[in-house]
mmCIF file of all heavy atoms in Angstrom:
data_model
loop_
_atom_site.group_PDB
_atom_site.id
_atom_site.type_symbol
_atom_site.label_atom_id
_atom_site.label_comp_id
_atom_site.label_asym_id
_atom_site.label_seq_id
_atom_site.Cartn_x
_atom_site.Cartn_y
_atom_site.Cartn_z
ATOM 1 N N ALA V 1 0.841 -1.192 0.000
ATOM 2 C CA ALA V 1 0.000 0.000 0.000
ATOM 3 C C ALA V 1 0.879 1.246 0.000
ATOM 4 O O ALA V 1 1.920 1.291 0.659
ATOM 5 C CB ALA V 1 -0.927 0.003 1.214
ATOM 6 N N TYR V 2 0.451 2.258 -0.745
ATOM 7 C CA TYR V 2 1.178 3.524 -0.853
ATOM 8 C C TYR V 2 0.258 4.639 -0.380
ATOM 9 O O TYR V 2 -0.841 4.823 -0.907
ATOM 10 C CB TYR V 2 1.604 3.758 -2.298
ATOM 11 C CG TYR V 2 2.362 5.047 -2.530
ATOM 12 C CD1 TYR V 2 3.729 5.105 -2.351
ATOM 13 C CD2 TYR V 2 1.694 6.199 -2.947
ATOM 14 C CE1 TYR V 2 4.436 6.287 -2.569
ATOM 15 C CE2 TYR V 2 2.383 7.380 -3.166
ATOM 16 C CZ TYR V 2 3.756 7.415 -2.982
ATOM 17 O OH TYR V 2 4.453 8.576 -3.200
ATOM 18 N N GLU V 3 0.719 5.397 0.626
ATOM 19 C CA GLU V 3 -0.145 6.425 1.217
ATOM 20 C C GLU V 3 -0.184 7.684 0.358
ATOM 21 O O GLU V 3 0.844 8.218 -0.056
ATOM 22 C CB GLU V 3 0.333 6.792 2.623
ATOM 23 C CG GLU V 3 -0.587 7.789 3.312
ATOM 24 C CD GLU V 3 -0.160 8.127 4.729
ATOM 25 O OE1 GLU V 3 0.892 7.604 5.186
ATOM 26 O OE2 GLU V 3 -0.887 8.892 5.391
ATOM 27 N N VAL V 4 -1.393 8.161 0.118
ATOM 28 C CA VAL V 4 -1.613 9.429 -0.573
ATOM 29 C C VAL V 4 -1.784 10.504 0.481
ATOM 30 O O VAL V 4 -2.652 10.401 1.348
ATOM 31 C CB VAL V 4 -2.872 9.357 -1.463
ATOM 32 C CG1 VAL V 4 -3.137 10.708 -2.116
ATOM 33 C CG2 VAL V 4 -2.722 8.273 -2.520
ATOM 34 N N LYS V 5 -0.965 11.538 0.396
ATOM 35 C CA LYS V 5 -1.052 12.631 1.362
ATOM 36 C C LYS V 5 -1.554 13.895 0.663
ATOM 37 O O LYS V 5 -1.508 14.015 -0.542
ATOM 38 C CB LYS V 5 0.309 12.871 2.014
ATOM 39 C CG LYS V 5 0.824 11.656 2.797
ATOM 40 C CD LYS V 5 2.164 11.936 3.446
ATOM 41 C CE LYS V 5 2.645 10.716 4.239
ATOM 42 N NZ LYS V 5 3.955 10.943 4.875
ATOM 43 N N GLY V 6 -2.019 14.834 1.467
ATOM 44 C CA GLY V 6 -2.519 16.075 0.890
ATOM 45 C C GLY V 6 -3.964 15.944 0.427
ATOM 46 O O GLY V 6 -4.683 15.025 0.824
ATOM 47 N N PHE V 7 -4.387 16.859 -0.425
ATOM 48 C CA PHE V 7 -5.781 16.905 -0.858
ATOM 49 C C PHE V 7 -6.089 15.717 -1.767
ATOM 50 O O PHE V 7 -5.489 15.549 -2.831
ATOM 51 C CB PHE V 7 -6.073 18.216 -1.594
ATOM 52 C CG PHE V 7 -7.524 18.404 -1.917
ATOM 53 C CD1 PHE V 7 -8.381 18.965 -0.983
ATOM 54 C CD2 PHE V 7 -8.039 18.012 -3.141
ATOM 55 C CE1 PHE V 7 -9.731 19.140 -1.269
ATOM 56 C CE2 PHE V 7 -9.382 18.178 -3.442
ATOM 57 C CZ PHE V 7 -10.228 18.749 -2.505
ATOM 58 N N CYS V 8 -7.019 14.904 -1.345
ATOM 59 C CA CYS V 8 -7.437 13.730 -2.112
ATOM 60 C C CYS V 8 -8.869 13.430 -1.694
ATOM 61 O O CYS V 8 -9.116 12.979 -0.583
ATOM 62 C CB CYS V 8 -6.522 12.543 -1.834
ATOM 63 S SG CYS V 8 -7.055 11.000 -2.621
ATOM 64 N N GLU V 9 -9.817 13.696 -2.569
ATOM 65 C CA GLU V 9 -11.230 13.531 -2.243
ATOM 66 C C GLU V 9 -11.889 12.566 -3.217
ATOM 67 O O GLU V 9 -11.672 12.631 -4.426
ATOM 68 C CB GLU V 9 -11.955 14.878 -2.269
ATOM 69 C CG GLU V 9 -11.510 15.847 -1.174
ATOM 70 C CD GLU V 9 -11.967 15.409 0.206
ATOM 71 O OE1 GLU V 9 -12.864 14.550 0.287
ATOM 72 O OE2 GLU V 9 -11.441 15.943 1.199
ATOM 73 N N HIS V 10 -12.709 11.689 -2.654
ATOM 74 C CA HIS V 10 -13.397 10.650 -3.414
ATOM 75 C C HIS V 10 -14.855 11.070 -3.614
ATOM 76 O O HIS V 10 -15.560 11.367 -2.652
ATOM 77 C CB HIS V 10 -13.326 9.332 -2.643
ATOM 78 C CG HIS V 10 -13.821 8.151 -3.394
ATOM 79 N ND1 HIS V 10 -13.085 7.504 -4.354
ATOM 80 C CD2 HIS V 10 -15.004 7.493 -3.339
ATOM 81 C CE1 HIS V 10 -13.768 6.498 -4.837
ATOM 82 N NE2 HIS V 10 -14.946 6.477 -4.242
ATOM 83 N N ILE V 11 -15.316 11.115 -4.862
ATOM 84 C CA ILE V 11 -16.686 11.532 -5.161
ATOM 85 C C ILE V 11 -17.549 10.294 -5.358
ATOM 86 O O ILE V 11 -17.403 9.560 -6.340
ATOM 87 C CB ILE V 11 -16.730 12.426 -6.411
ATOM 88 C CG1 ILE V 11 -15.967 13.723 -6.147
ATOM 89 C CG2 ILE V 11 -18.178 12.733 -6.797
ATOM 90 C CD1 ILE V 11 -15.889 14.655 -7.328
ATOM 91 N N ALA V 12 -18.447 10.051 -4.402
ATOM 92 C CA ALA V 12 -19.283 8.853 -4.445
ATOM 93 C C ALA V 12 -20.767 9.173 -4.313
ATOM 94 O O ALA V 12 -21.583 8.269 -4.174
ATOM 95 C CB ALA V 12 -18.874 7.882 -3.339
ATOM 96 N N SER V 13 -21.120 10.460 -4.375
ATOM 97 C CA SER V 13 -22.525 10.860 -4.271
ATOM 98 C C SER V 13 -22.657 12.297 -4.749
ATOM 99 O O SER V 13 -21.656 13.012 -4.908
ATOM 100 C CB SER V 13 -23.030 10.738 -2.831
ATOM 101 O OG SER V 13 -22.381 11.695 -2.009
ATOM 102 N N ILE V 14 -23.885 12.726 -4.961
ATOM 103 C CA ILE V 14 -24.110 14.104 -5.380
ATOM 104 C C ILE V 14 -23.693 15.071 -4.281
ATOM 105 O O ILE V 14 -23.199 16.170 -4.549
ATOM 106 C CB ILE V 14 -25.593 14.312 -5.784
ATOM 107 C CG1 ILE V 14 -25.773 15.629 -6.549
ATOM 108 C CG2 ILE V 14 -26.505 14.237 -4.578
ATOM 109 C CD1 ILE V 14 -25.278 15.604 -7.948
ATOM 110 N N SER V 15 -23.842 14.650 -3.012
ATOM 111 C CA SER V 15 -23.387 15.490 -1.895
ATOM 112 C C SER V 15 -21.873 15.625 -1.889
ATOM 113 O O SER V 15 -21.335 16.709 -1.617
ATOM 114 C CB SER V 15 -23.878 14.911 -0.563
ATOM 115 O OG SER V 15 -25.286 14.929 -0.479
ATOM 116 N N ASP V 16 -21.175 14.519 -2.187
ATOM 117 C CA ASP V 16 -19.717 14.575 -2.305
ATOM 118 C C ASP V 16 -19.305 15.529 -3.421
ATOM 119 O O ASP V 16 -18.361 16.313 -3.275
ATOM 120 C CB ASP V 16 -19.145 13.182 -2.606
ATOM 121 C CG ASP V 16 -19.121 12.274 -1.405
ATOM 122 O OD1 ASP V 16 -19.282 12.773 -0.278
ATOM 123 O OD2 ASP V 16 -18.953 11.055 -1.596
ATOM 124 N N TYR V 17 -19.996 15.423 -4.547
ATOM 125 C CA TYR V 17 -19.680 16.276 -5.695
ATOM 126 C C TYR V 17 -19.797 17.751 -5.310
ATOM 127 O O TYR V 17 -18.919 18.560 -5.625
ATOM 128 C CB TYR V 17 -20.621 15.951 -6.846
ATOM 129 C CG TYR V 17 -20.438 16.844 -8.057
ATOM 130 C CD1 TYR V 17 -19.390 16.628 -8.951
ATOM 131 C CD2 TYR V 17 -21.313 17.900 -8.303
ATOM 132 C CE1 TYR V 17 -19.217 17.450 -10.049
ATOM 133 C CE2 TYR V 17 -21.150 18.724 -9.395
ATOM 134 C CZ TYR V 17 -20.100 18.502 -10.263
ATOM 135 O OH TYR V 17 -19.929 19.337 -11.358
ATOM 136 N N TYR V 18 -20.874 18.086 -4.624
ATOM 137 C CA TYR V 18 -21.079 19.473 -4.197
ATOM 138 C C TYR V 18 -19.997 19.895 -3.202
ATOM 139 O O TYR V 18 -19.380 20.955 -3.342
ATOM 140 C CB TYR V 18 -22.462 19.620 -3.556
ATOM 141 C CG TYR V 18 -22.761 21.017 -3.077
ATOM 142 C CD1 TYR V 18 -23.234 21.984 -3.946
ATOM 143 C CD2 TYR V 18 -22.544 21.361 -1.743
ATOM 144 C CE1 TYR V 18 -23.489 23.275 -3.505
ATOM 145 C CE2 TYR V 18 -22.792 22.650 -1.298
ATOM 146 C CZ TYR V 18 -23.267 23.602 -2.175
ATOM 147 O OH TYR V 18 -23.505 24.880 -1.738
ATOM 148 N N ARG V 19 -19.728 19.036 -2.226
ATOM 149 C CA ARG V 19 -18.760 19.365 -1.181
ATOM 150 C C ARG V 19 -17.357 19.566 -1.739
ATOM 151 O O ARG V 19 -16.661 20.528 -1.370
ATOM 152 C CB ARG V 19 -18.750 18.249 -0.130
ATOM 153 C CG ARG V 19 -17.700 18.406 0.958
ATOM 154 C CD ARG V 19 -17.746 17.240 1.935
ATOM 155 N NE ARG V 19 -17.634 15.947 1.285
ATOM 156 C CZ ARG V 19 -16.478 15.416 0.872
ATOM 157 N NH1 ARG V 19 -15.344 16.076 1.068
ATOM 158 N NH2 ARG V 19 -16.460 14.230 0.296
ATOM 159 N N VAL V 20 -16.936 18.689 -2.647
ATOM 160 C CA VAL V 20 -15.574 18.778 -3.182
ATOM 161 C C VAL V 20 -15.431 19.995 -4.090
ATOM 162 O O VAL V 20 -14.390 20.662 -4.099
ATOM 163 C CB VAL V 20 -15.200 17.474 -3.916
ATOM 164 C CG1 VAL V 20 -13.809 17.579 -4.518
ATOM 165 C CG2 VAL V 20 -15.269 16.289 -2.973
ATOM 166 N N ASN V 21 -16.473 20.304 -4.857
ATOM 167 C CA ASN V 21 -16.439 21.546 -5.645
ATOM 168 C C ASN V 21 -16.278 22.752 -4.738
ATOM 169 O O ASN V 21 -15.457 23.638 -4.983
ATOM 170 C CB ASN V 21 -17.726 21.681 -6.467
ATOM 171 C CG ASN V 21 -17.597 21.121 -7.874
ATOM 172 O OD1 ASN V 21 -17.125 21.794 -8.789
ATOM 173 N ND2 ASN V 21 -18.014 19.875 -8.029
ATOM 174 N N MET V 22 -17.068 22.787 -3.666
ATOM 175 C CA MET V 22 -17.033 23.934 -2.771
ATOM 176 C C MET V 22 -15.724 24.034 -1.992
ATOM 177 O O MET V 22 -15.365 25.106 -1.498
ATOM 178 C CB MET V 22 -18.225 23.886 -1.814
ATOM 179 C CG MET V 22 -19.537 24.218 -2.489
ATOM 180 S SD MET V 22 -19.475 25.862 -3.246
ATOM 181 C CE MET V 22 -20.966 25.854 -4.242
ATOM 182 N N ALA V 23 -14.988 22.919 -1.901
ATOM 183 C CA ALA V 23 -13.675 22.974 -1.249
ATOM 184 C C ALA V 23 -12.711 23.885 -2.004
ATOM 185 O O ALA V 23 -11.734 24.389 -1.436
ATOM 186 C CB ALA V 23 -13.087 21.566 -1.131
ATOM 187 N N LEU V 24 -12.988 24.124 -3.286
ATOM 188 C CA LEU V 24 -12.131 24.991 -4.094
ATOM 189 C C LEU V 24 -12.190 26.447 -3.649
ATOM 190 O O LEU V 24 -11.374 27.267 -4.077
ATOM 191 C CB LEU V 24 -12.529 24.894 -5.572
ATOM 192 C CG LEU V 24 -12.401 23.522 -6.229
ATOM 193 C CD1 LEU V 24 -12.806 23.603 -7.694
ATOM 194 C CD2 LEU V 24 -10.986 22.976 -6.103
ATOM 195 N N MET V 25 -13.158 26.789 -2.813
ATOM 196 C CA MET V 25 -13.223 28.153 -2.289
ATOM 197 C C MET V 25 -12.038 28.444 -1.368
ATOM 198 O O MET V 25 -11.710 29.605 -1.110
ATOM 199 C CB MET V 25 -14.536 28.369 -1.527
ATOM 200 C CG MET V 25 -15.774 28.233 -2.392
ATOM 201 S SD MET V 25 -15.756 29.397 -3.769
ATOM 202 C CE MET V 25 -17.245 28.891 -4.627
ATOM 203 N N SER V 26 -11.389 27.396 -0.875
ATOM 204 C CA SER V 26 -10.219 27.565 -0.017
ATOM 205 C C SER V 26 -8.983 27.820 -0.879
ATOM 206 O O SER V 26 -8.653 27.041 -1.776
ATOM 207 C CB SER V 26 -10.010 26.304 0.834
ATOM 208 O OG SER V 26 -8.724 26.313 1.429
ATOM 209 N N LYS V 27 -8.287 28.893 -0.573
ATOM 210 C CA LYS V 27 -7.064 29.232 -1.298
ATOM 211 C C LYS V 27 -6.015 28.136 -1.162
ATOM 212 O O LYS V 27 -5.304 27.806 -2.119
ATOM 213 C CB LYS V 27 -6.518 30.563 -0.788
ATOM 214 C CG LYS V 27 -5.266 31.033 -1.507
ATOM 215 C CD LYS V 27 -4.788 32.376 -0.959
ATOM 216 C CE LYS V 27 -3.514 32.824 -1.659
ATOM 217 N NZ LYS V 27 -3.036 34.138 -1.124
ATOM 218 N N ASP V 28 -5.920 27.551 0.029
ATOM 219 C CA ASP V 28 -4.935 26.493 0.259
ATOM 220 C C ASP V 28 -5.236 25.261 -0.586
ATOM 221 O O ASP V 28 -4.317 24.618 -1.106
ATOM 222 C CB ASP V 28 -4.910 26.116 1.743
ATOM 223 C CG ASP V 28 -4.346 27.228 2.623
ATOM 224 O OD1 ASP V 28 -3.605 28.079 2.090
ATOM 225 O OD2 ASP V 28 -4.647 27.237 3.822
ATOM 226 N N VAL V 29 -6.514 24.913 -0.721
ATOM 227 C CA VAL V 29 -6.895 23.765 -1.549
ATOM 228 C C VAL V 29 -6.552 24.039 -3.004
ATOM 229 O O VAL V 29 -5.979 23.179 -3.701
ATOM 230 C CB VAL V 29 -8.397 23.456 -1.394
ATOM 231 C CG1 VAL V 29 -8.845 22.440 -2.448
ATOM 232 C CG2 VAL V 29 -8.687 22.922 0.007
ATOM 233 N N ARG V 30 -6.876 25.217 -3.492
ATOM 234 C CA ARG V 30 -6.573 25.551 -4.888
ATOM 235 C C ARG V 30 -5.067 25.515 -5.149
ATOM 236 O O ARG V 30 -4.611 25.032 -6.185
ATOM 237 C CB ARG V 30 -7.130 26.930 -5.246
ATOM 238 C CG ARG V 30 -8.647 27.020 -5.228
ATOM 239 C CD ARG V 30 -9.136 28.259 -5.975
ATOM 240 N NE ARG V 30 -8.571 29.498 -5.468
ATOM 241 C CZ ARG V 30 -9.072 30.214 -4.467
ATOM 242 N NH1 ARG V 30 -10.172 29.771 -3.847
ATOM 243 N NH2 ARG V 30 -8.511 31.339 -4.090
ATOM 244 N N LYS V 31 -4.298 26.028 -4.204
ATOM 245 C CA LYS V 31 -2.843 26.048 -4.373
ATOM 246 C C LYS V 31 -2.271 24.646 -4.453
ATOM 247 O O LYS V 31 -1.360 24.376 -5.248
ATOM 248 C CB LYS V 31 -2.201 26.823 -3.220
ATOM 249 C CG LYS V 31 -0.694 26.985 -3.336
ATOM 250 C CD LYS V 31 -0.144 27.802 -2.179
ATOM 251 C CE LYS V 31 1.378 27.949 -2.296
ATOM 252 N NZ LYS V 31 1.935 28.744 -1.167
ATOM 253 N N GLU V 32 -2.799 23.744 -3.640
ATOM 254 C CA GLU V 32 -2.301 22.370 -3.633
ATOM 255 C C GLU V 32 -2.787 21.575 -4.839
ATOM 256 O O GLU V 32 -2.022 20.832 -5.460
ATOM 257 C CB GLU V 32 -2.743 21.669 -2.351
ATOM 258 C CG GLU V 32 -2.224 20.240 -2.234
ATOM 259 C CD GLU V 32 -2.621 19.570 -0.936
ATOM 260 O OE1 GLU V 32 -3.048 20.273 0.004
ATOM 261 O OE2 GLU V 32 -2.513 18.334 -0.863
ATOM 262 N N LEU V 33 -4.061 21.723 -5.171
ATOM 263 C CA LEU V 33 -4.636 20.932 -6.259
ATOM 264 C C LEU V 33 -4.150 21.398 -7.625
ATOM 265 O O LEU V 33 -3.869 20.585 -8.503
ATOM 266 C CB LEU V 33 -6.164 21.003 -6.188
ATOM 267 C CG LEU V 33 -6.949 20.047 -7.081
ATOM 268 C CD1 LEU V 33 -6.578 18.595 -6.804
ATOM 269 C CD2 LEU V 33 -8.445 20.252 -6.883
ATOM 270 N N PHE V 34 -4.021 22.712 -7.789
ATOM 271 C CA PHE V 34 -3.598 23.269 -9.074
ATOM 272 C C PHE V 34 -2.170 23.795 -8.959
ATOM 273 O O PHE V 34 -1.909 24.988 -9.086
ATOM 274 C CB PHE V 34 -4.578 24.355 -9.519
ATOM 275 C CG PHE V 34 -5.997 23.864 -9.621
ATOM 276 C CD1 PHE V 34 -6.946 24.258 -8.704
ATOM 277 C CD2 PHE V 34 -6.365 22.981 -10.625
ATOM 278 C CE1 PHE V 34 -8.256 23.792 -8.783
ATOM 279 C CE2 PHE V 34 -7.665 22.506 -10.710
ATOM 280 C CZ PHE V 34 -8.612 22.907 -9.794
ATOM 281 N N ASP V 35 -1.262 22.878 -8.680
ATOM 282 C CA ASP V 35 0.160 23.174 -8.520
ATOM 283 C C ASP V 35 0.730 23.677 -9.852
ATOM 284 O O ASP V 35 0.572 23.023 -10.888
ATOM 285 C CB ASP V 35 0.889 21.893 -8.082
ATOM 286 C CG ASP V 35 2.329 22.128 -7.691
ATOM 287 O OD1 ASP V 35 2.932 23.110 -8.174
ATOM 288 O OD2 ASP V 35 2.868 21.324 -6.910
ATOM 289 N N VAL V 36 1.398 24.824 -9.829
ATOM 290 C CA VAL V 36 1.931 25.396 -11.071
ATOM 291 C C VAL V 36 2.999 24.512 -11.694
ATOM 292 O O VAL V 36 3.234 24.559 -12.911
ATOM 293 C CB VAL V 36 2.495 26.816 -10.829
ATOM 294 C CG1 VAL V 36 1.387 27.784 -10.459
ATOM 295 C CG2 VAL V 36 3.580 26.803 -9.751
ATOM 296 N N ASP V 37 3.668 23.703 -10.876
ATOM 297 C CA ASP V 37 4.702 22.807 -11.402
ATOM 298 C C ASP V 37 4.106 21.499 -11.942
ATOM 299 O O ASP V 37 4.770 20.780 -12.689
ATOM 300 C CB ASP V 37 5.722 22.482 -10.316
ATOM 301 C CG ASP V 37 6.501 23.715 -9.870
ATOM 302 O OD1 ASP V 37 6.810 24.553 -10.740
ATOM 303 O OD2 ASP V 37 6.786 23.831 -8.666
ATOM 304 N N LYS V 38 2.874 21.206 -11.542
ATOM 305 C CA LYS V 38 2.182 20.005 -12.026
ATOM 306 C C LYS V 38 0.744 20.396 -12.374
ATOM 307 O O LYS V 38 -0.195 20.071 -11.667
ATOM 308 C CB LYS V 38 2.197 18.907 -10.957
ATOM 309 C CG LYS V 38 3.579 18.431 -10.541
ATOM 310 C CD LYS V 38 3.489 17.322 -9.503
ATOM 311 C CE LYS V 38 2.904 17.832 -8.195
ATOM 312 N NZ LYS V 38 2.793 16.753 -7.182
ATOM 313 N N PRO V 39 0.572 21.099 -13.487
ATOM 314 C CA PRO V 39 -0.737 21.671 -13.806
ATOM 315 C C PRO V 39 -1.793 20.601 -14.094
ATOM 316 O O PRO V 39 -1.481 19.485 -14.520
ATOM 317 C CB PRO V 39 -0.471 22.504 -15.067
ATOM 318 C CG PRO V 39 1.023 22.649 -15.150
ATOM 319 C CD PRO V 39 1.587 21.436 -14.487
ATOM 320 N N ILE V 40 -3.047 20.965 -13.852
ATOM 321 C CA ILE V 40 -4.174 20.157 -14.302
ATOM 322 C C ILE V 40 -4.638 20.748 -15.632
ATOM 323 O O ILE V 40 -5.062 21.905 -15.687
ATOM 324 C CB ILE V 40 -5.324 20.166 -13.276
ATOM 325 C CG1 ILE V 40 -4.828 19.642 -11.927
ATOM 326 C CG2 ILE V 40 -6.494 19.324 -13.793
ATOM 327 C CD1 ILE V 40 -4.327 18.206 -11.934
ATOM 328 N N TYR V 41 -4.504 19.971 -16.683
ATOM 329 C CA TYR V 41 -4.829 20.447 -18.025
ATOM 330 C C TYR V 41 -6.283 20.122 -18.374
ATOM 331 O O TYR V 41 -6.897 19.217 -17.806
ATOM 332 C CB TYR V 41 -3.908 19.794 -19.054
ATOM 333 C CG TYR V 41 -2.437 20.001 -18.791
ATOM 334 C CD1 TYR V 41 -1.667 18.997 -18.212
ATOM 335 C CD2 TYR V 41 -1.811 21.194 -19.124
ATOM 336 C CE1 TYR V 41 -0.311 19.177 -17.966
ATOM 337 C CE2 TYR V 41 -0.454 21.395 -18.893
ATOM 338 C CZ TYR V 41 0.291 20.375 -18.309
ATOM 339 O OH TYR V 41 1.619 20.561 -18.070
ATOM 340 N N THR V 42 -6.801 20.851 -19.343
ATOM 341 C CA THR V 42 -8.143 20.593 -19.851
ATOM 342 C C THR V 42 -8.242 21.121 -21.271
ATOM 343 O O THR V 42 -7.360 21.864 -21.738
ATOM 344 C CB THR V 42 -9.213 21.242 -18.951
ATOM 345 O OG1 THR V 42 -10.505 20.779 -19.333
ATOM 346 C CG2 THR V 42 -9.172 22.774 -19.040
ATOM 347 N N LYS V 43 -9.301 20.750 -21.952
ATOM 348 C CA LYS V 43 -9.542 21.275 -23.287
ATOM 349 C C LYS V 43 -9.832 22.770 -23.188
ATOM 350 O O LYS V 43 -10.638 23.202 -22.377
ATOM 351 C CB LYS V 43 -10.727 20.558 -23.932
ATOM 352 C CG LYS V 43 -11.090 21.081 -25.314
ATOM 353 C CD LYS V 43 -12.330 20.391 -25.841
ATOM 354 C CE LYS V 43 -12.745 20.972 -27.192
ATOM 355 N NZ LYS V 43 -13.989 20.339 -27.705
ATOM 356 N N VAL V 44 -9.172 23.543 -24.025
ATOM 357 C CA VAL V 44 -9.321 24.998 -23.983
ATOM 358 C C VAL V 44 -10.480 25.424 -24.877
ATOM 359 O O VAL V 44 -10.582 25.014 -26.032
ATOM 360 C CB VAL V 44 -8.026 25.700 -24.437
ATOM 361 C CG1 VAL V 44 -8.232 27.215 -24.483
ATOM 362 C CG2 VAL V 44 -6.879 25.353 -23.493
#
């Protein structure tokens, strides 16, 4: 087993989906999740 540390959220319900989206309101969460050195890419 390999431990995952830091922000890691599992979406298993509509309530989870809402909660994890709203976690992005935290500056610390955004900084960790959208690391400039390891960007999250998407279709532009």
